[in-house]
Amino acid sequence: METVSYSISMVLFAVILAETALTGRVRRTVKGSRERYVALTQRRILSWAVVVGFAAQGVVGLLDGQQLSVLSLAMSVYLAYQEIKNHKDDDDWFKGRRKKIWAGVKKRLAARPPVRIPAPSPVFG
């Protein structure tokens, strides 16, 4: 279990470095440009990967019996909260997706007309 925890930590460190680099790139871009759109989309994906990485590290730590793994779980909750709170008005691919996905789900769950079963033929009846 210790090697799994170590591997998660190394991948998490690399993803945090990549997210930091993308955040710097986002700050240099012009609002409304394609470069900003792509960079913000990539940053959002990497930031959620960091949240999932911290949660995975906390779960593996709890299974291994490490006491401080609760801090990793708390960090994942805090980062998820900050991601939801601070990035509502970003111009990335995810903007407005919640409404579109919810509309698609409602459309799929809408009442469908009942399937007609043909009456048996009087000849073969």
Side-chain angles (χ1 to χ4, degrees):
M1 278 301 231
E2 211 170 296
T3 58
V4 173
S5 179
Y6 182 74
S7 299
I8 291 173
S9 296
M10 291 297 104
V11 170
L12 189 57
F13 181 68
V15 172
I16 289 171
L17 287 178
E19 182 190 4
T20 304
L22 272 173
T23 301
R25 185 172 146 204
V26 166
R27 289 183 180 169
R28 289 189 306 266
T29 58
V30 177
K31 193 168 187 130
S33 67
R34 170 127 177 102
E35 183 182 2
R36 182 177 175 91
Y37 173 83
V38 171
L40 280 171
T41 301
Q42 292 169 347
R43 195 209 56 79
R44 171 88 43 111
I45 292 169
L46 286 176
S47 65
W48 281 106
V50 168
V51 170
V52 169
F54 270 110
Q57 188 176 24
V59 168
V60 169
L62 282 177
L63 292 176
D64 199 26
Q66 298 173 356
Q67 303 292 332
L68 293 176
S69 62
V70 176
L71 291 176
S72 187
L73 288 173
M75 187 67 171
S76 70
V77 170
Y78 173 74
L79 289 173
Y81 171 74
Q82 288 297 322
E83 183 65 25
I84 292 169
K85 178 183 153 197
N86 292 336
H87 300 288
K88 289 187 177 185
D89 62 341
D90 284 347
D91 50 353
D92 58 3
W93 183 86
F94 298 99
K95 185 176 182 179
R97 291 292 163 198
R98 180 174 39 131
K99 291 180 183 177
K100 293 175 184 176
I101 291 171
W102 184 243
V105 168
K106 286 195 316 189
K107 181 180 173 184
R108 298 277 183 213
L109 294 177
R112 294 184 177 161
V115 178
R116 290 186 171 189
I117 300 174
S121 171
V123 176
F124 298 108

